[in-house]
Amino acid sequence: MTDFFEGTGDGTRAVRAGLPEPVKHEPTLPGPVFAAHFHLPGDPTGPYTYGRDENPTWSHLERAIGELEAPGRDDVETLVFASGMAAISAVLFSQLSAGDTVVLPSDGYQVLPLVRGQLEAYGIEVRTAATGGDAQLDVLDGAKLLWIETPSNPGLDVCDVRRLVAAARARGCLVAVDNTLATPLGQRPLELGADFSVASGTKQLTGHGDVLLGYVSGGDAATMASVRRWRKIVGAIPGPMEAWLAHRSLATLHLRVDRQNASALVIAEALRDWSEDLGVRYPGLPGDPSHKIASQQMRRFGCVVSFTLPTRARADRFLDALRLVDDATSFGGVRSTAERRGRWGGDAVPEGFIRFSVGAEDPEDLVADVLQALDRSAT
């Protein structure tokens, strides 16, 4: 296991996180272990017994993510899952039971309404409130779990995690933060006091659009044991190849994040200065409603920019006119993508709302492409 010294930078940490101790003639990052079972004579003790419980490839990745989410903390455990929704579901359904109350964001990821229906079917009360303005505080009393998504997807509102955590603690309420948009290099929810940091590794963490993955990090052994038990029960485990690809991708996380975040700001500024008012949102943009609080709890502001065109038809024309940007869902990849988010029907956004995920292309080329598409789509 990597032994980082005090003051290690994000780049060094990302490159070396989770690597095993070097062994002569062995690779720096061991290849994926494909095994449904392991040699296990005698009593079933030791770390690797059966492929649904543990895998050495997961272990390397889990240590790596833990080192990024909570540097210097030996008490933090990380568990990887088959997808971001598998990780989200593991926290919700392992911590809640009939009669409990959970607070969810009303403006969060568009699958959350489906989750709400399942929670309510199990006899769990679900309350919702918007991310902006810390509105979830108003419905927190009596809740067992507060679910925060900051920045929110796709609206990019930000809430004060420290403030919400303090209020939850006073009420004996657990706090989980969806950290997908920020990544551990942009925000560390556990340092802000949260009980769980949860994310989809499908997005910027792995960054190449070729892996479905999720994870949960937490510092309490008892609550993490229940999350682990849920993973075992439902079998929501990643394949070893996906886990290995994710670990390999972590080594360039800092490079991708810095490039994509810097380009996102440039594009947000260009959109802000366009002749039409596009309602541009980006937490790193001075003047954005989320900028002040984001600056107090985030170290990087993410690669997603949102804006709204006047009509659905205008948005469709804009997307068709783009040349360097793929019309695709998801975000965080090295290739820029954009979509009219309302096409899915699960987000409370206008028909012309665009979620733009900034990739690693040259920013001046992306800006030129966006501006020409805006111009062409106007007629």
Side-chain angles (χ1 to χ4, degrees):
M1 184 175 177
T2 308
D3 183 18
F4 294 112
F5 53 86
E6 186 175 355
T8 298
D10 285 341
T12 302
R13 194 176 301 278
V15 167
R16 305 203 63 83
L19 298 180
E21 293 296 331
V23 177
K24 188 175 182 178
H25 306 310
E26 293 294 326
T28 303
L29 176 61
V33 175
F34 298 97
H37 58 267
F38 302 85
H39 287 295
L40 192 65
D43 293 333
T45 58
Y48 305 111
T49 58
Y50 185 63
R52 191 179 66 250
D53 298 326
E54 292 286 353
N55 178 289
T57 309
W58 304 351
S59 297
H60 295 315
L61 176 60
E62 288 170 342
R63 284 198 299 268
I65 294 173
E67 288 165 6
L68 297 177
E69 281 280 355
R73 285 186 59 178
D74 295 331
D75 61 322
V76 170
E77 180 180 5
T78 297
L79 299 170
V80 290
F81 290 82
S83 68
M85 279 309 305
I88 289 170
S89 299
V91 173
L92 291 170
F93 291 103
S94 69
Q95 304 304 312
L96 298 168
S97 57
D100 289 336
T101 298
V102 61
V103 175
L104 301 179
S106 59
D107 53 349
Y109 181 47
Q110 57 115 356
V111 181
L112 286 181
L114 295 178
V115 176
R116 174 178 186 163
Q118 193 61 57
L119 289 165
E120 290 175 336
Y122 288 159
I124 297 164
E125 181 186 353
V126 179
R127 303 174 190 160
T128 62
T131 299
D134 301 339
Q136 289 174 303
L137 284 173
D138 296 335
V139 293
L140 192 57
D141 285 350
K144 183 176 181 181
L145 176 65
L146 168 63
W147 190 275
I148 295 171
E149 187 178 296
T150 183
S152 62
N153 174 27
L156 303 181
D157 275 321
V158 171
C159 60
D160 187 335
V161 177
R162 292 185 183 91
R163 182 185 181 202
L164 287 166
V165 165
R169 286 280 176 275
R171 294 163 171 82
C173 178
L174 295 169
V175 180
V177 177
D178 187 327
N179 204 37
T180 302
L181 261 164
T183 82
L185 298 193
Q187 181 173 262
R188 293 178 181 147
L190 300 182
E191 289 186 356
L192 298 173
D195 298 283
F196 303 101
S197 180
V198 187
S200 168
T202 307
K203 312 300 193 293
Q204 195 170 22
L205 190 82
T206 54
H208 292 81
D210 54 7
V211 171
L212 286 173
L213 194 86
Y215 70 86
V216 178
S217 293
D220 180 75
T223 54
M224 287 303 294
S226 62
V227 175
R228 179 184 290 274
R229 180 172 178 269
W230 180 264
R231 183 178 72 172
K232 178 183 177 73
I233 291 169
V234 300
I237 59 173
M241 190 65 192
E242 286 76 11
W244 184 85
L245 284 169
H247 198 168
R248 181 204 61 174
S249 297
L250 285 184
T252 61
L253 178 62
H254 63 297
L255 299 173
R256 292 184 281 106
V257 163
D258 283 346
R259 173 60 172 255
Q260 291 170 257
N261 285 209
S263 296
L265 179 57
V266 171
I267 290 171
E269 290 171 339
L271 289 166
R272 178 200 59 195
D273 297 338
W274 182 249
S275 56
E276 302 169 85
D277 181 3
L278 302 179
V280 181
R281 295 300 308 272
Y282 181 65
L285 190 66
D288 185 274
S290 294
H291 183 69
K292 181 178 179 180
I293 186 59
S295 298
Q296 294 170 7
Q297 65 190 25
M298 300 181 73
R299 296 177 299 130
R300 295 172 175 88
F301 299 107
C303 65
V304 176
V305 177
S306 72
F307 57 99
T308 303
L309 295 170
T311 64
R312 172 176 178 169
R314 173 74 184 284
D316 288 338
R317 291 197 302 271
F318 168 79
L319 294 169
D320 288 342
L322 291 168
R323 294 292 175 261
L324 298 178
V325 182
D326 296 331
D327 191 342
T329 194
S330 198
F331 57 85
V334 292
R335 287 172 287 278
S336 294
T337 61
E339 70 171 336
R340 191 181 64 79
R341 191 63 187 165
R343 65 182 177 172
W344 296 99
D347 295 307
V349 295
E351 287 287 352
F353 182 94
I354 301 292
R355 185 179 71 181
F356 193 105
S357 172
V358 181
E361 301 92 348
D362 289 312
E364 57 269 24
D365 293 335
L366 288 175
V367 169
D369 192 29
V370 168
L371 296 184
Q372 69 81 25
L374 284 172
D375 187 56
R376 290 178 60 191
S377 65
T379 57

